[in-house]
């Protein structure tokens, strides 16, 4: 697949291929583009296998427009929208291998239901701790 045209809305990047088929991806996967201005988003070039934003140091492969997981799961959204959390430290807290959790967040691997529940329980535990803070 080769993307010939791109455009954005608030939450997505859209691409149209050479046959007129339109694809979309969540900008949560691309935080530099998510936070970029319209002008910065317009400063791209098509390459042999993808799109490059030099000033943002961001690349999107043409192939990624065809991925099944164009939208992050709820678990992925949580970590992608809470950059203040150190995934490695959170993994220690949850008793999960840090590399494995990073792979879950980035969509390279998928947690079992049991592991996903372990992560959610750790998020909830942390939330309960935060809510008890008084100043």
């Amino acid at each position: 697949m080769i993307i010939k045209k791109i455009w954005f809305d608030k939450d997505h990047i859209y691409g149209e291929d050479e046959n007129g088929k339109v694809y979309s991806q969540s900008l949560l996967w691309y935080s530099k583009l998510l936070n970029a201005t319209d002008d910065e988003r317009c400063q791209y070039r098509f390459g042999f296998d993808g799109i490059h934003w030099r000033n943002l140091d961001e690349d999107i492969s043409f192939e990624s427009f065809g991925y099944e997981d164009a939208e992050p799961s709820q678990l992925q959204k949580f970590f992608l929208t809470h950059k203040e959390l150190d995934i490695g430290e959170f993994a220690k807290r949850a008793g999960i291998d840090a590399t494995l959790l990073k792979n879950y967040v980035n969509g390279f691997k998928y947690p079992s239901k049991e592991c996903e529940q372990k992560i959610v329980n750790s998020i909830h535990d942390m939330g309960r701790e935060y809510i008890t803070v008084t100043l």
Side-chain angles (χ1 to χ4, degrees):
M1 158 195 345
I2 297 177
I3 299 296
K4 296 290 190 181
K5 177 182 173 185
I6 64 166
W7 65 96
F8 296 87
D9 68 14
K10 180 179 165 238
D11 301 314
H12 295 87
I13 180 171
Y14 297 88
E16 184 176 321
D17 72 11
E18 64 275 8
N19 298 316
K21 184 171 180 183
V22 175
Y23 302 85
S24 72
Q25 296 186 60
S26 172
L27 287 174
L28 287 176
W29 296 120
Y30 310 103
S31 61
K32 292 175 185 175
L33 284 172
L34 177 67
N35 298 312
T37 65
D38 289 340
D39 186 53
E40 289 171 322
R41 289 179 179 177
C42 289
Q43 296 176 31
Y44 64 88
R45 67 176 175 79
F46 287 108
F48 176 71
D49 59 356
I51 310 159
H52 178 68
W53 288 263
R54 182 177 180 177
N55 294 340
L56 297 174
D57 191 28
E58 185 72 85
D59 296 285
I60 298 179
S61 70
F62 294 143
E63 177 186 13
S64 67
F65 280 91
Y67 291 169
E68 290 182 24
D69 59 351
E71 291 295 323
S73 69
Q74 289 300 327
L75 180 66
Q76 292 166 323
K77 281 181 185 180
F78 177 80
F79 285 100
L80 291 170
T81 58
H82 288 87
K83 298 288 188 182
E84 71 276 10
L85 293 177
D86 180 292
I87 291 177
E89 291 300 316
F90 180 86
K92 284 182 199 175
R93 176 187 181 106
I96 298 169
D97 179 79
T99 301
L100 191 57
L101 182 57
K102 287 176 186 175
N103 283 327
Y104 295 157
V105 171
N106 292 317
F108 302 129
K109 294 190 176 198
Y110 300 94
S112 66
K113 288 292 181 191
E114 179 181 280
C115 186
E116 190 174 72
Q117 190 58 54
K118 189 175 186 179
I119 296 167
V120 169
N121 289 345
S122 292
I123 292 169
H124 291 173
D125 289 346
M126 191 170 55
R128 283 189 287 277
E129 287 179 30
Y130 285 169
I131 207 162
T132 64
V133 173
T134 58
L135 302 176

